[in-house]
Structure formats: C-alpha cells, structure tokens
Amino acid sequence: MVLGIPSIEWEPAVMFRTILAFAAMLTLAAFYAAAGDLSFRVSAAPEWNQMFQRTNGWLGADVAYSVPLSSDKTLWLFGDTFVGQIRDGKRESTKMIHSSVAEQPLGGEPQFYYPLDKKGQAQSFVKSLGPKTYFWLSDGARTKSGLYLFMQQVQWINNTAWGFQCVGTWLAKVENPDTPPGQWKKTTQKLPFTRLADGQAALLGSEILQSGDYIYIYGFSNYTNSTATKNQIVARAPENNPGDPAGWKFYSNGTWTRDFEKTTPIFSNAGAEGSVSWQPYLKKFVFVYSEGIWGTILMRTAEAPEGPWSNPVKLYQCPDMKFSPHAFCYAAKGHPELSTTNELIISYAANSESLSDVMNDTRLYWPRFIRVTFLER
C-alpha cells in the first residue's frame, strides 16, 4: 500500500507491533537504582547503536531478537524492516518488508540478509502466505537437532492503523544453520496451541529459554488490539525435539500438564515481546520486557524458569519518547550472549505513529541499546 509517497511501500501494521498497556514513567538516561535485593546501574550503549545504523540497504527494523548460533556467532531476527537509502539525513527510495535477519560474528559487525526477487527488489525473509497474511519473526533456539524459529502469523484485516491481528504461531526448523541464511533448508509447521478453555486466545514463542534438558516457550493470553491486560504463560518441550507438539507440557497452577487448555498465567500485565535468561551474577533468571509502548522497560526475577516471578522492577525510561509527540518505544529484550557476567545488554525499538517522523528523523526505527550493570549490595 502507498500512502502519498510513491517510493514507499507501506501497510497499517508497520508502525505498530502489538498491544497498548498502561505504563508508569521512570527516570531518564543513565542512573543507579536499587530495588529489593537488586542494585544496578543503567547507561546507554552507543557503540551498539552504531553497529546497526546504515545508509544503504538495511535501514532499520523492530523486534531484534538474538539467538546464539555458536560460541562466536549470533543470529538476529527482525520484524518489519526498511530497505532503501538514506540521503541528506532522510530515508528515501524505501520499501518495507516484514522480516529480515543478520549474522554477527563475535567482536564483528552484523551482516544483514533478506532475499531479492528477479528484479532485485527486497522481499521478506519469511515468505508471506498471501497479500494480506504474512509473518513476524519471534524468538528462537539453536539445539543439537537444528535451529528452531518461532513466527507469528499476521492477518491484515482493514486499512486502518490497528487493522491487523496475530492469528497463530508457527515453528520453523532449519537443518543447516551453519550455512548462510540464503542457503537454509527450512521446514515449517503451524502450532495447534491457540485458544484456552475459557476462550482466551493465546500466542507462544515471544520468549525462548534453553535450560537443562528443556526449551521453555513463553507467550501470552488474553490479548486484543487494545489496552487489555495480557497474561504471561509458559510451556516447555524436550531440548532434543521441540518440533514435536505432542511432547510439550504447559504450566498450570504449579504443575506441568499436557493439556494446553489448562494453562494458567505465571504473571499478568505481560509484554508482547521480551527475553528470559539466566543471570550468573544474580544467580537468577531475569525476564525483561516493555510495559506497553510508552517507553518503560521492566525486569522480573525468579529462581526457576516457571517462577514464581518477582514484582516488576523499572529499569529505564526511553528518552526517544521525546523525539516527537507521536514517538513510542517497545520490544525491550535482553541479549545475554553479548553481555559480560554482571551485565545485560538490552535492546528496544523506537518508532512513531507518524510516517513522516520515521522518514525524516533517522534517530527512529533502529534497534536502540542500553547496558544494565548489576552491582554488589
């Protein structure tokens, strides 16, 4: 779809990732804080911001999940992505695709990838099911049996800003993840876990954790394209075969069950994207996510992947919210494989409801990074 700018392909879902939620404001930029048994320092990470800024080709994206492919290589997974050129400080000759990836060697720059058609035009990394049905990449995991990538199926409903709906979760298996992404051999399947017994819709795959013999697959239920509260849920699958849904179990009131419909929340007021990882300095699992789209980044801690999870601690208030009256920030998540023992590198997305803002203000629509350093108490 074109919105009055001939060089841009655009769709309503581009400027919005998911659901609004009420958020509290927090102090800005770098600061020290203490909450309960936690003490930490938060600062910007401009060296990471710089790695993802380009003037040609890949020009920014949201989502920004990271998956360690090996001890010296990270895979980045992106959602809606700009491809084109920046001229005189503005995005021009730009196309939007719905997914892209990058590989980043340890200590090196990310190398971005998206396929091209016969005319040399950029295409989504994950092929769409049709003109109004496409995919957003979610989290993933590298196992001994291959690379598993979770994807959200998105249905474009109408030509409005909120005219889209996530209608299901798919799982892709890459058999040869050590080859370049353009050579990957993939198989895909639609997961059957979409609706709970009480009628609530559910999506899984928004956070993935590998721990012990299991892969923990987090998601949320009770979601709409509004300010509805989302409930965090979790499943787990054997690490050696997460592609078999028959082997999945779901957390339900303190126990694990094979009945998906009996799944119960591990906490409420959940984010639509995030990360769960083991923090060796804290000796706890940490859950990082955005509260709505108002720029507040939160963290919870637990001693087990299923919880119980602590109350949320406010880590950061994104200063990018001041770039424009229409700006919003979301999609916070941690990247433990890129962090030292007592820190966590966190990314988030900075966006705007105004297409003009994104085209003319190249501070927007790149992955933005902060560094959380955990301190002794």
Side-chain angles (χ1 to χ4, degrees), residues 23-29 31 42 293-297 314-321 329 348 370:
M25 299 301 287
L26 187 62
T27 55
L28 298 175
F31 62 93
V42 182
I293 62 171
W294 306 120
T296 305
I297 299 178
K314 297 176 181 179
L315 293 178
Y316 192 68
Q317 178 67 32
C318 304
D320 320 66
M321 296 290 293
C329 297
Y348 64 91
I370 60 173

PDB file of all heavy atoms in Angstrom, residues 23-29 31 42 293-297 314-321 329 348 370:
ATOM      1  N   ALA A  23       1.374   2.400  31.289  1.00  0.00           N
ATOM      2  CA  ALA A  23       2.761   2.347  31.762  1.00  0.00           C
ATOM      3  C   ALA A  23       3.055   3.535  32.661  1.00  0.00           C
ATOM      4  O   ALA A  23       2.547   4.625  32.467  1.00  0.00           O
ATOM      5  CB  ALA A  23       3.715   2.353  30.579  1.00  0.00           C
ATOM      6  N   ALA A  24       3.866   3.335  33.667  1.00  0.00           N
ATOM      7  CA  ALA A  24       4.324   4.412  34.545  1.00  0.00           C
ATOM      8  C   ALA A  24       5.613   4.999  34.009  1.00  0.00           C
ATOM      9  O   ALA A  24       6.381   4.329  33.349  1.00  0.00           O
ATOM     10  CB  ALA A  24       4.551   3.875  35.951  1.00  0.00           C
ATOM     11  N   MET A  25       5.847   6.273  34.316  1.00  0.00           N
ATOM     12  CA  MET A  25       7.052   6.939  33.840  1.00  0.00           C
ATOM     13  C   MET A  25       8.208   6.659  34.778  1.00  0.00           C
ATOM     14  O   MET A  25       8.033   6.354  35.941  1.00  0.00           O
ATOM     15  CB  MET A  25       6.816   8.460  33.761  1.00  0.00           C
ATOM     16  CG  MET A  25       5.705   8.846  32.812  1.00  0.00           C
ATOM     17  SD  MET A  25       5.994   8.289  31.118  1.00  0.00           S
ATOM     18  CE  MET A  25       7.279   9.450  30.657  1.00  0.00           C
ATOM     19  N   LEU A  26       9.440   6.806  34.285  1.00  0.00           N
ATOM     20  CA  LEU A  26      10.642   6.460  35.030  1.00  0.00           C
ATOM     21  C   LEU A  26      11.704   7.502  34.754  1.00  0.00           C
ATOM     22  O   LEU A  26      11.589   8.295  33.840  1.00  0.00           O
ATOM     23  CB  LEU A  26      11.124   5.066  34.596  1.00  0.00           C
ATOM     24  CG  LEU A  26      12.266   4.419  35.347  1.00  0.00           C
ATOM     25  CD1 LEU A  26      11.890   4.199  36.802  1.00  0.00           C
ATOM     26  CD2 LEU A  26      12.607   3.093  34.703  1.00  0.00           C
ATOM     27  N   THR A  27      12.761   7.516  35.565  1.00  0.00           N
ATOM     28  CA  THR A  27      13.844   8.450  35.326  1.00  0.00           C
ATOM     29  C   THR A  27      14.536   8.155  34.023  1.00  0.00           C
ATOM     30  O   THR A  27      14.501   7.043  33.528  1.00  0.00           O
ATOM     31  CB  THR A  27      14.869   8.358  36.463  1.00  0.00           C
ATOM     32  OG1 THR A  27      15.281   7.011  36.587  1.00  0.00           O
ATOM     33  CG2 THR A  27      14.273   8.847  37.769  1.00  0.00           C
ATOM     34  N   LEU A  28      15.205   9.177  33.448  1.00  0.00           N
ATOM     35  CA  LEU A  28      15.781   9.082  32.125  1.00  0.00           C
ATOM     36  C   LEU A  28      17.256   8.739  32.166  1.00  0.00           C
ATOM     37  O   LEU A  28      17.946   8.938  33.161  1.00  0.00           O
ATOM     38  CB  LEU A  28      15.607  10.420  31.384  1.00  0.00           C
ATOM     39  CG  LEU A  28      14.167  10.867  31.134  1.00  0.00           C
ATOM     40  CD1 LEU A  28      14.168  12.240  30.503  1.00  0.00           C
ATOM     41  CD2 LEU A  28      13.441   9.869  30.266  1.00  0.00           C
ATOM     42  N   ALA A  29      17.727   8.240  30.995  1.00  0.00           N
ATOM     43  CA  ALA A  29      19.151   8.058  30.699  1.00  0.00           C
ATOM     44  C   ALA A  29      19.851   7.183  31.729  1.00  0.00           C
ATOM     45  O   ALA A  29      19.294   6.230  32.219  1.00  0.00           O
ATOM     46  CB  ALA A  29      19.821   9.416  30.566  1.00  0.00           C
ATOM     47  N   PHE A  31      21.493   5.907  35.212  1.00  0.00           N
ATOM     48  CA  PHE A  31      21.216   6.129  36.612  1.00  0.00           C
ATOM     49  C   PHE A  31      21.566   4.888  37.408  1.00  0.00           C
ATOM     50  O   PHE A  31      21.716   3.800  36.884  1.00  0.00           O
ATOM     51  CB  PHE A  31      19.745   6.499  36.839  1.00  0.00           C
ATOM     52  CG  PHE A  31      18.774   5.416  36.433  1.00  0.00           C
ATOM     53  CD1 PHE A  31      18.318   4.495  37.354  1.00  0.00           C
ATOM     54  CD2 PHE A  31      18.327   5.337  35.124  1.00  0.00           C
ATOM     55  CE1 PHE A  31      17.430   3.507  36.988  1.00  0.00           C
ATOM     56  CE2 PHE A  31      17.440   4.335  34.752  1.00  0.00           C
ATOM     57  CZ  PHE A  31      16.984   3.429  35.682  1.00  0.00           C
ATOM     58  N   VAL A  42      22.266   1.703  35.051  1.00  0.00           N
ATOM     59  CA  VAL A  42      21.783   1.652  33.669  1.00  0.00           C
ATOM     60  C   VAL A  42      22.408   2.789  32.886  1.00  0.00           C
ATOM     61  O   VAL A  42      22.428   3.934  33.345  1.00  0.00           O
ATOM     62  CB  VAL A  42      20.249   1.757  33.603  1.00  0.00           C
ATOM     63  CG1 VAL A  42      19.767   1.648  32.163  1.00  0.00           C
ATOM     64  CG2 VAL A  42      19.604   0.676  34.459  1.00  0.00           C
ATOM     65  N   ILE A 293       3.693   0.642  25.147  1.00  0.00           N
ATOM     66  CA  ILE A 293       4.520   1.327  24.143  1.00  0.00           C
ATOM     67  C   ILE A 293       5.000   2.687  24.638  1.00  0.00           C
ATOM     68  O   ILE A 293       5.465   3.512  23.855  1.00  0.00           O
ATOM     69  CB  ILE A 293       3.755   1.507  22.817  1.00  0.00           C
ATOM     70  CG1 ILE A 293       2.518   2.393  23.019  1.00  0.00           C
ATOM     71  CG2 ILE A 293       3.385   0.165  22.213  1.00  0.00           C
ATOM     72  CD1 ILE A 293       1.827   2.797  21.733  1.00  0.00           C
ATOM     73  N   TRP A 294       4.941   2.911  25.947  1.00  0.00           N
ATOM     74  CA  TRP A 294       5.275   4.226  26.482  1.00  0.00           C
ATOM     75  C   TRP A 294       6.722   4.340  26.941  1.00  0.00           C
ATOM     76  O   TRP A 294       7.085   5.277  27.630  1.00  0.00           O
ATOM     77  CB  TRP A 294       4.314   4.589  27.610  1.00  0.00           C
ATOM     78  CG  TRP A 294       2.879   4.501  27.209  1.00  0.00           C
ATOM     79  CD1 TRP A 294       1.926   3.716  27.762  1.00  0.00           C
ATOM     80  CD2 TRP A 294       2.244   5.212  26.149  1.00  0.00           C
ATOM     81  NE1 TRP A 294       0.722   3.891  27.121  1.00  0.00           N
ATOM     82  CE2 TRP A 294       0.893   4.800  26.120  1.00  0.00           C
ATOM     83  CE3 TRP A 294       2.677   6.150  25.210  1.00  0.00           C
ATOM     84  CZ2 TRP A 294      -0.018   5.298  25.198  1.00  0.00           C
ATOM     85  CZ3 TRP A 294       1.767   6.637  24.280  1.00  0.00           C
ATOM     86  CH2 TRP A 294       0.447   6.221  24.294  1.00  0.00           C
ATOM     87  N   GLY A 295       7.554   3.358  26.614  1.00  0.00           N
ATOM     88  CA  GLY A 295       8.987   3.511  26.824  1.00  0.00           C
ATOM     89  C   GLY A 295       9.521   3.028  28.148  1.00  0.00           C
ATOM     90  O   GLY A 295      10.709   3.214  28.427  1.00  0.00           O
ATOM     91  N   THR A 296       8.710   2.394  28.980  1.00  0.00           N
ATOM     92  CA  THR A 296       9.174   1.867  30.256  1.00  0.00           C
ATOM     93  C   THR A 296       9.667   0.442  30.081  1.00  0.00           C
ATOM     94  O   THR A 296       8.928  -0.415  29.595  1.00  0.00           O
ATOM     95  CB  THR A 296       8.059   1.893  31.309  1.00  0.00           C
ATOM     96  OG1 THR A 296       7.549   3.229  31.427  1.00  0.00           O
ATOM     97  CG2 THR A 296       8.571   1.431  32.657  1.00  0.00           C
ATOM     98  N   ILE A 297      10.916   0.175  30.483  1.00  0.00           N
ATOM     99  CA  ILE A 297      11.494  -1.159  30.413  1.00  0.00           C
ATOM    100  C   ILE A 297      11.509  -1.760  31.809  1.00  0.00           C
ATOM    101  O   ILE A 297      12.000  -1.135  32.768  1.00  0.00           O
ATOM    102  CB  ILE A 297      12.904  -1.124  29.817  1.00  0.00           C
ATOM    103  CG1 ILE A 297      12.856  -0.575  28.377  1.00  0.00           C
ATOM    104  CG2 ILE A 297      13.545  -2.507  29.829  1.00  0.00           C
ATOM    105  CD1 ILE A 297      14.212  -0.447  27.723  1.00  0.00           C
ATOM    106  N   LYS A 314      11.526  -1.352  37.607  1.00  0.00           N
ATOM    107  CA  LYS A 314      11.680  -0.426  36.491  1.00  0.00           C
ATOM    108  C   LYS A 314      13.160  -0.192  36.222  1.00  0.00           C
ATOM    109  O   LYS A 314      13.902   0.261  37.095  1.00  0.00           O
ATOM    110  CB  LYS A 314      10.981   0.895  36.791  1.00  0.00           C
ATOM    111  CG  LYS A 314       9.480   0.741  36.967  1.00  0.00           C
ATOM    112  CD  LYS A 314       8.823   2.063  37.361  1.00  0.00           C
ATOM    113  CE  LYS A 314       7.337   1.894  37.566  1.00  0.00           C
ATOM    114  NZ  LYS A 314       6.685   3.163  37.985  1.00  0.00           N
ATOM    115  N   LEU A 315      13.580  -0.506  35.011  1.00  0.00           N
ATOM    116  CA  LEU A 315      14.974  -0.341  34.627  1.00  0.00           C
ATOM    117  C   LEU A 315      15.256   0.986  33.948  1.00  0.00           C
ATOM    118  O   LEU A 315      16.280   1.619  34.204  1.00  0.00           O
ATOM    119  CB  LEU A 315      15.395  -1.468  33.675  1.00  0.00           C
ATOM    120  CG  LEU A 315      15.456  -2.893  34.221  1.00  0.00           C
ATOM    121  CD1 LEU A 315      15.851  -3.849  33.102  1.00  0.00           C
ATOM    122  CD2 LEU A 315      16.427  -2.989  35.376  1.00  0.00           C
ATOM    123  N   TYR A 316      14.338   1.440  33.077  1.00  0.00           N
ATOM    124  CA  TYR A 316      14.703   2.535  32.169  1.00  0.00           C
ATOM    125  C   TYR A 316      13.456   3.160  31.581  1.00  0.00           C
ATOM    126  O   TYR A 316      12.443   2.477  31.361  1.00  0.00           O
ATOM    127  CB  TYR A 316      15.563   1.945  31.051  1.00  0.00           C
ATOM    128  CG  TYR A 316      16.274   2.929  30.156  1.00  0.00           C
ATOM    129  CD1 TYR A 316      17.309   3.724  30.640  1.00  0.00           C
ATOM    130  CD2 TYR A 316      15.964   3.022  28.806  1.00  0.00           C
ATOM    131  CE1 TYR A 316      18.002   4.588  29.806  1.00  0.00           C
ATOM    132  CE2 TYR A 316      16.652   3.881  27.962  1.00  0.00           C
ATOM    133  CZ  TYR A 316      17.668   4.663  28.470  1.00  0.00           C
ATOM    134  OH  TYR A 316      18.358   5.520  27.644  1.00  0.00           O
ATOM    135  N   GLN A 317      13.534   4.460  31.342  1.00  0.00           N
ATOM    136  CA  GLN A 317      12.521   5.164  30.572  1.00  0.00           C
ATOM    137  C   GLN A 317      13.184   5.684  29.297  1.00  0.00           C
ATOM    138  O   GLN A 317      14.118   6.481  29.379  1.00  0.00           O
ATOM    139  CB  GLN A 317      11.913   6.325  31.351  1.00  0.00           C
ATOM    140  CG  GLN A 317      10.890   7.121  30.571  1.00  0.00           C
ATOM    141  CD  GLN A 317       9.637   6.311  30.273  1.00  0.00           C
ATOM    142  OE1 GLN A 317       9.257   5.461  31.065  1.00  0.00           O
ATOM    143  NE2 GLN A 317       9.012   6.578  29.148  1.00  0.00           N
ATOM    144  N   CYS A 318      12.762   5.231  28.172  1.00  0.00           N
ATOM    145  CA  CYS A 318      13.427   5.526  26.898  1.00  0.00           C
ATOM    146  C   CYS A 318      13.326   7.013  26.563  1.00  0.00           C
ATOM    147  O   CYS A 318      12.212   7.544  26.410  1.00  0.00           O
ATOM    148  CB  CYS A 318      12.811   4.704  25.777  1.00  0.00           C
ATOM    149  SG  CYS A 318      12.832   2.921  26.101  1.00  0.00           S
ATOM    150  N   PRO A 319      14.451   7.704  26.410  1.00  0.00           N
ATOM    151  CA  PRO A 319      14.408   9.134  26.090  1.00  0.00           C
ATOM    152  C   PRO A 319      13.913   9.410  24.687  1.00  0.00           C
ATOM    153  O   PRO A 319      13.529  10.539  24.376  1.00  0.00           O
ATOM    154  CB  PRO A 319      15.869   9.571  26.263  1.00  0.00           C
ATOM    155  CG  PRO A 319      16.664   8.330  26.047  1.00  0.00           C
ATOM    156  CD  PRO A 319      15.827   7.204  26.587  1.00  0.00           C
ATOM    157  N   ASP A 320      13.895   8.394  23.832  1.00  0.00           N
ATOM    158  CA  ASP A 320      13.416   8.553  22.458  1.00  0.00           C
ATOM    159  C   ASP A 320      11.958   8.994  22.405  1.00  0.00           C
ATOM    160  O   ASP A 320      11.500   9.500  21.372  1.00  0.00           O
ATOM    161  CB  ASP A 320      13.565   7.236  21.689  1.00  0.00           C
ATOM    162  CG  ASP A 320      14.853   6.511  22.018  1.00  0.00           C
ATOM    163  OD1 ASP A 320      15.013   6.073  23.172  1.00  0.00           O
ATOM    164  OD2 ASP A 320      15.698   6.382  21.126  1.00  0.00           O
ATOM    165  N   MET A 321      11.223   8.807  23.491  1.00  0.00           N
ATOM    166  CA  MET A 321       9.834   9.241  23.523  1.00  0.00           C
ATOM    167  C   MET A 321       9.710  10.747  23.290  1.00  0.00           C
ATOM    168  O   MET A 321       8.652  11.231  22.892  1.00  0.00           O
ATOM    169  CB  MET A 321       9.210   8.874  24.870  1.00  0.00           C
ATOM    170  CG  MET A 321       9.119   7.384  25.157  1.00  0.00           C
ATOM    171  SD  MET A 321       7.912   6.514  24.129  1.00  0.00           S
ATOM    172  CE  MET A 321       6.395   7.219  24.734  1.00  0.00           C
ATOM    173  N   CYS A 329       8.015   3.683  22.199  1.00  0.00           N
ATOM    174  CA  CYS A 329       9.103   2.713  22.344  1.00  0.00           C
ATOM    175  C   CYS A 329       8.556   1.420  22.931  1.00  0.00           C
ATOM    176  O   CYS A 329       7.685   1.440  23.793  1.00  0.00           O
ATOM    177  CB  CYS A 329      10.209   3.266  23.244  1.00  0.00           C
ATOM    178  SG  CYS A 329      11.034   4.737  22.584  1.00  0.00           S
ATOM    179  N   TYR A 348      15.762  -2.144  22.492  1.00  0.00           N
ATOM    180  CA  TYR A 348      14.356  -1.790  22.371  1.00  0.00           C
ATOM    181  C   TYR A 348      14.147  -1.114  21.024  1.00  0.00           C
ATOM    182  O   TYR A 348      15.111  -0.764  20.326  1.00  0.00           O
ATOM    183  CB  TYR A 348      13.896  -0.891  23.527  1.00  0.00           C
ATOM    184  CG  TYR A 348      14.567   0.464  23.602  1.00  0.00           C
ATOM    185  CD1 TYR A 348      14.024   1.584  22.959  1.00  0.00           C
ATOM    186  CD2 TYR A 348      15.738   0.641  24.328  1.00  0.00           C
ATOM    187  CE1 TYR A 348      14.633   2.827  23.033  1.00  0.00           C
ATOM    188  CE2 TYR A 348      16.356   1.886  24.412  1.00  0.00           C
ATOM    189  CZ  TYR A 348      15.803   2.964  23.765  1.00  0.00           C
ATOM    190  OH  TYR A 348      16.404   4.196  23.837  1.00  0.00           O
ATOM    191  N   ILE A 370      20.800  -0.354  25.619  1.00  0.00           N
ATOM    192  CA  ILE A 370      21.264   0.125  26.912  1.00  0.00           C
ATOM    193  C   ILE A 370      22.054  -1.004  27.579  1.00  0.00           C
ATOM    194  O   ILE A 370      21.978  -2.171  27.168  1.00  0.00           O
ATOM    195  CB  ILE A 370      20.111   0.576  27.832  1.00  0.00           C
ATOM    196  CG1 ILE A 370      19.147  -0.583  28.086  1.00  0.00           C
ATOM    197  CG2 ILE A 370      19.400   1.775  27.246  1.00  0.00           C
ATOM    198  CD1 ILE A 370      18.069  -0.275  29.115  1.00  0.00           C
TER     199      ILE A 370
END
